[in-house]
Amino acid sequence: QTILKEMAERIVASGDKGLPGRALAAYGAGDVLLQLGRTTDGRPHLALAVELAHASGQLAHEARCRARLGEAERLLGDFAAAKAQLTTALELWRRHGDGEGRAYVLIALARLDREENQWADAQRKLEEALDLLEVVRRSVVSPELRAAFLARTHTPYRELVDLLLERDRFQPGAGFDRAAFRAAERARMRALLDLLAEPTAEGFERGDAALVAADEVQRTVLAADDLMLSFF
């Protein structure tokens, strides 16, 4: 906390000089405060980071700052402000051509949709985010880096599975439980492909084709009175 306080004082004292460095420092202070659960304290730092990044023309960093500020606004319950920041961040990442950045903003927007019980919109955004992350993943040649990337992208898979199970609780029998099973299997299949170190797009497509549906497992593996559990 002392380090963060000193950082904030230096940001204020530095005047108008060194905008990129000040933007980075403000973002760092806000981000750490959010991670510590001090969202109210972190928000002003992130707002300052957005202002400084915009003034210095840092397109990618402005997108990053706006995305984090949007997350802070969501946590503080100001959904309108959160949506405004995240929507702008998404457009900035699109202009910058960064698929991974767009994906993580879509994940943040999906969380906002869930807060407002817009489950179908949240599901669509999470699925779009995963498609973007798969494009990025296929561009990574090293199996070790692919494995590290998959570890980072496990969160949206988990959020999609959780969302689908939530939809199943409110709409039982609509097939969301089976969709959740497929999403979990898709995540496991990605890990298996990386383990096999199969770097080709053809391998990726074969893996998708090999995914089995819950109905198929029940029909070909289980007896009529067996219960299937999938842990994720």
Side-chain angles (χ1 to χ4, degrees):
Q1 294 182 12
T2 301
I3 293 173
L4 289 170
K5 184 174 182 295
E6 291 176 355
M7 183 184 295
E9 290 172 349
R10 289 175 184 173
I11 291 169
V12 174
S14 63
D16 293 331
K17 299 178 181 178
L19 286 178
R22 292 176 63 207
L24 184 62
Y27 174 83
D31 181 58
V32 170
L33 284 166
L34 256 65
Q35 292 185 51
L36 292 173
R38 295 172 55 189
T39 308
T40 302
D41 293 332
R43 186 198 171 283
H45 293 289
L46 293 170
L48 176 60
V50 167
E51 179 184 337
L52 294 171
H54 180 74
S56 61
Q58 297 174 282
L59 191 68
H61 192 54
E62 183 183 349
R64 188 176 299 109
C65 293
R66 287 187 183 277
R68 200 67 171 122
L69 178 58
E71 183 70 2
E73 299 286 15
R74 181 185 70 83
L75 291 170
L76 292 172
D78 192 338
F79 295 161
K83 187 171 292 186
Q85 292 295 340
L86 291 169
T87 301
T88 303
L90 186 64
E91 177 57 29
L92 290 172
W93 278 129
R94 185 176 286 113
R95 285 166 52 192
H96 191 259
D98 190 306
E100 187 174 358
R102 285 168 58 196
Y104 283 107
V105 174
L106 284 167
I107 294 165
L109 283 166
R111 290 172 184 156
L112 192 59
D113 286 338
R114 288 189 70 175
E115 295 273 11
E116 298 179 322
N117 296 323
Q118 301 294 325
W119 294 332
D121 289 340
Q123 182 179 338
R124 178 181 56 79
K125 288 182 176 70
L126 286 172
E127 290 171 345
E128 184 180 350
L130 285 168
D131 288 342
L132 285 168
L133 290 171
E134 287 301 339
V135 172
V136 176
R137 175 186 170 277
R138 289 200 298 262
S139 69
V140 180
V141 177
S142 164
E144 292 81 8
L145 291 178
R146 273 193 168 192
F149 182 78
L150 184 64
R152 290 209 314 276
T153 59
H154 190 73
T155 297
Y157 279 111
R158 187 176 66 245
E159 293 204 18
L160 179 58
V161 170
D162 185 63
L163 171 65
L164 290 166
L165 291 177
E166 183 175 13
R167 297 195 73 182
D168 179 67
R169 283 193 290 273
F170 284 90
Q171 296 175 268
F176 292 117
D177 53 348
R178 287 164 170 73
F181 174 81
R182 184 175 178 83
E185 288 301 297
R186 182 184 178 192
R188 279 191 275 263
M189 183 269 289
R190 294 297 178 267
L192 177 60
L193 285 181
D194 286 332
L195 183 64
L196 297 174
E198 189 170 20
T200 65
E202 289 77 17
F204 171 83
E205 291 165 359
R206 285 198 302 273
D208 262 358
L211 278 174
V212 294
D215 289 341
E216 183 180 350
V217 175
Q218 289 177 313
R219 184 177 64 254
T220 60
V221 179
L222 305 178
D225 57 350
D226 284 343
L227 174 70
M228 182 176 72
L229 298 178
S230 176
F231 294 90
F232 185 67

